[in-house]
Amino acid sequence: MDMAKFIITHVTNPIDYKDEIIRFWDENLPGTPHARFDWMCVGNPAGPNDWFLAKEEKTGEIAGMISIMPRFVTMEGITYRLGILGDFMVSKECRIFGPTMQLVKAALSQYAELGYKALYTVPNTDSYKVLERVGFHDLGSIYYLVKPLDMGYY
C-alpha cells in the first residue's frame, strides 16, 4: 500500500460496524470469539468499550483499531473508572506507514473526556515499543488472584 491517509474515528455506535470489526478480528486476531463483541458492547458491568477505527481514506476499509475497555477499580476506598487499552491491531499491509501511532494518540487524547480516570494496558511484544513512544511507561506488574466458581463463554 502506498502512503495512504487514514481517518481515525471514535465509534459511538459499534453495532453499526459489527461485521467489519469481526471480519478484521478474523484476519488480524484469529481465534477471537465473535461473542466477545457483544460482551464488549453490552455485557461488561463497567459499561461498553470505546472503539477507535482507522479507515483508509480512499477505500473506507478498516486498516486498524484500538479500544478502551472500562473497568472499575477500588483503591484506598475510592472507586475509579479506569480504561484498559486493548484490541490494538493494524492490518499487515498498513503496519509500516499506517495508522499505528494515530490510533494510540487518538485514544490518549480523548480518554479523560470519555470519563476515564487513567488508562493502562498489558502490551504484547509487538505493541510495547509503540506504546512506549507515545508516553506509556512500565509502572509494575499486575497479578490476578482468583478462584473461579464456574466458567463458560458469554
Side-chain angles (χ1 to χ4, degrees):
M1 182 175 283
D2 57 359
M3 295 292 286
K5 293 186 180 177
F6 303 93
I7 298 169
I8 309 298
T9 306
H10 172 239
V11 174
T12 55
N13 190 6
I15 299 298
D16 293 342
Y17 297 93
K18 181 177 182 174
D19 293 338
E20 288 180 83
I21 290 170
I22 288 175
R23 188 191 88 258
F24 198 74
W25 280 352
D26 288 344
E27 293 169 0
N28 297 282
L29 199 60
T32 302
H34 293 182
R36 183 172 182 268
F37 179 88
D38 296 326
W39 186 85
M40 293 169 83
C41 291
V42 296
N44 183 351
N49 277 34
D50 283 289
W51 301 73
F52 294 86
L53 298 180
K55 291 196 161 199
E56 205 278 320
E57 189 176 56
K58 291 180 185 171
T59 66
E61 291 289 316
I62 294 178
M65 71 173 61
I66 198 165
S67 68
I68 305 174
M69 181 182 295
R71 178 171 185 200
F72 292 119
V73 175
T74 302
M75 294 182 283
E76 298 180 3
I78 301 171
T79 300
Y80 299 97
R81 184 175 185 252
L82 303 182
I84 306 169
L85 201 61
D87 296 299
F88 179 32
M89 62 192 91
V90 175
S91 66
K92 290 178 185 173
E93 302 83 26
C94 298
R95 288 188 185 150
I96 302 298
F97 296 109
T100 303
M101 299 297 279
Q102 290 173 275
L103 281 164
V104 180
K105 287 178 180 180
L108 286 176
S109 71
Q110 295 182 47
Y111 81 90
E113 142 187 345
L114 293 170
Y116 298 96
K117 182 70 173 172
L119 293 180
Y120 71 96
T121 188
V122 182
N124 62 30
T125 54
D126 294 334
S127 63
Y128 190 86
K129 290 291 182 193
V130 170
L131 294 168
E132 217 174 35
R133 284 183 63 196
V134 296
F136 274 84
H137 55 277
D138 193 344
L139 292 178
S141 299
I142 296 174
Y143 298 96
Y144 291 101
L145 304 173
V146 298
K147 180 179 180 182
L149 301 177
D150 191 15
M151 292 180 65
Y153 284 104
Y154 180 84

